[in-house]
Amino acid sequence: EIVMTQSPATLSVSPGERATLSCRASQSVSSNLAWYQQKPGQAPRLLIYGASTRDTGIPARFSGSGSGTEFTLTISSLQSEDFAVYYCQQYNNWLLVTFGGGTKVEIK
Amino acid sequence: QVQLQESGPGLAKPSETLSLTCTVSIGSVSSGSYYWTWIRQPPGKGLEWIGYMFSSGTTSYNPSLKSRVTISVDTSRNQISLKLSSVTAADTAVYFCVRGAGGIFDYWGQGTLVTVSS
């Protein structure tokens, strides 16, 4: 099983500031990495796939980077609606996809 | 516009079988372009992939749950179902029905909470 580790667990950021979230895989997943946003009481929403491709309708302030074992999600200027939990997910191993534990982005 | 809608009992007793259904309105469950997935989330915790069913009928399950899980498709009703046997309190979670494509999950149901308790 590929273990996905996200850091930090909680990130306190002021509106308008940049947020940088990290995700590390226990072995290489190439660029087979997705990011999801989840707000309280809602289902996750796909933000990024292929490590850096934004899904349809996702604002340009969200960007993803990385390959292999190290990945980053950057939110360039946090808006009020961006405060949520973010999960990374590897799909390099289709037969056992795994998620990171999540990073909660909270208002500072 | 509801696209994936989970339904089923919100309460299951320990040792019994949890059964959920997902009604799909974003295309045919028979489409070869997508596959159908169940993912769960215990209260306050992260996401756990349960398994897939492909339009061909092929399934793939999380090894940690494989002995207890069955995912099936009813093409006549455009529904996907999940059965999880011998449930315990550890199976208490929100269960999501999700469409998958190429390893990513692009459409999610709203989720349904199932509590395992006597």
Side-chain angles (χ1 to χ4, degrees):
Chain A
E1 175 180 329
I2 299 175
V3 177
M4 307 302 293
T5 302
Q6 290 186 243
S7 62
T10 303
L11 186 61
S12 298
V13 186
S14 298
E17 290 187 341
R18 173 187 295 259
T20 302
L21 289 66
S22 296
C23 175
R24 174 176 294 178
S26 61
Q27 63 190 77
S28 177
V29 299
S30 187
S31 294
N32 297 311
L33 190 286
W35 290 94
Y36 299 83
Q37 176 194 66
Q38 186 178 32
K39 297 180 181 179
Q42 297 184 16
R45 176 176 71 148
L46 176 66
L47 296 177
I48 301 275
Y49 60 93
S52 61
T53 301
R54 282 189 301 277
D55 195 28
T56 304
I58 301 302
R61 64 181 181 271
F62 291 92
S63 63
S65 63
S67 67
T69 62
E70 301 282 345
F71 301 88
T72 300
L73 174 69
T74 302
I75 311 171
S76 60
S77 176
L78 271 159
Q79 306 297 302
S80 58
E81 62 266 30
D82 301 334
F83 293 95
V85 179
Y86 293 83
Y87 294 96
C88 63
Q89 173 234 329
Q90 68 79 19
Y91 52 98
N92 194 60
N93 179 2
W94 266 59
L95 297 182
L96 181 51
V97 299
T98 47
F99 293 88
T103 291
K104 180 180 181 181
V105 177
E106 64 176 24
I107 301 174
K108 186 174 181 180
Chain B
Q1 179 184 358
V2 175
Q3 297 172 319
L4 294 165
Q5 180 69 63
E6 303 90 349
S7 60
L11 183 65
K13 289 184 167 48
S15 81
E16 295 188 343
T17 296
L18 176 162
S19 296
L20 297 174
T21 297
C22 173
T23 300
V24 177
S25 58
I26 50 169
S28 169
V29 297
S30 301
S31 169
S33 300
Y34 303 107
Y35 50 90
W36 307 96
T37 309
W38 289 94
I39 291 170
R40 71 181 184 178
Q41 184 173 37
K45 296 188 178 180
L47 301 164
E48 180 181 33
W49 171 73
I50 299 171
Y52 299 133
M53 168 158 263
F54 297 83
S55 60
S56 62
T58 301
T59 54
S60 179
Y61 300 131
N62 189 321
S64 68
L65 299 169
K66 186 174 183 177
S67 63
R68 300 193 289 130
V69 174
T70 303
I71 296 175
S72 59
V73 169
D74 183 338
T75 55
S76 65
R77 297 185 177 186
N78 220 42
Q79 291 179 333
I80 304 127
S81 68
L82 169 70
K83 294 188 186 300
L84 181 64
S85 63
S86 304
V87 296
T88 70
D91 295 309
T92 293
V94 175
Y95 286 77
F96 294 101
C97 171
V98 188
R99 189 179 81 171
I104 62 174
F105 304 118
D106 59 354
Y107 278 96
W108 296 63
Q110 64 185 25
T112 188
L113 174 63
V114 179
T115 302
V116 179
S117 174
S118 55

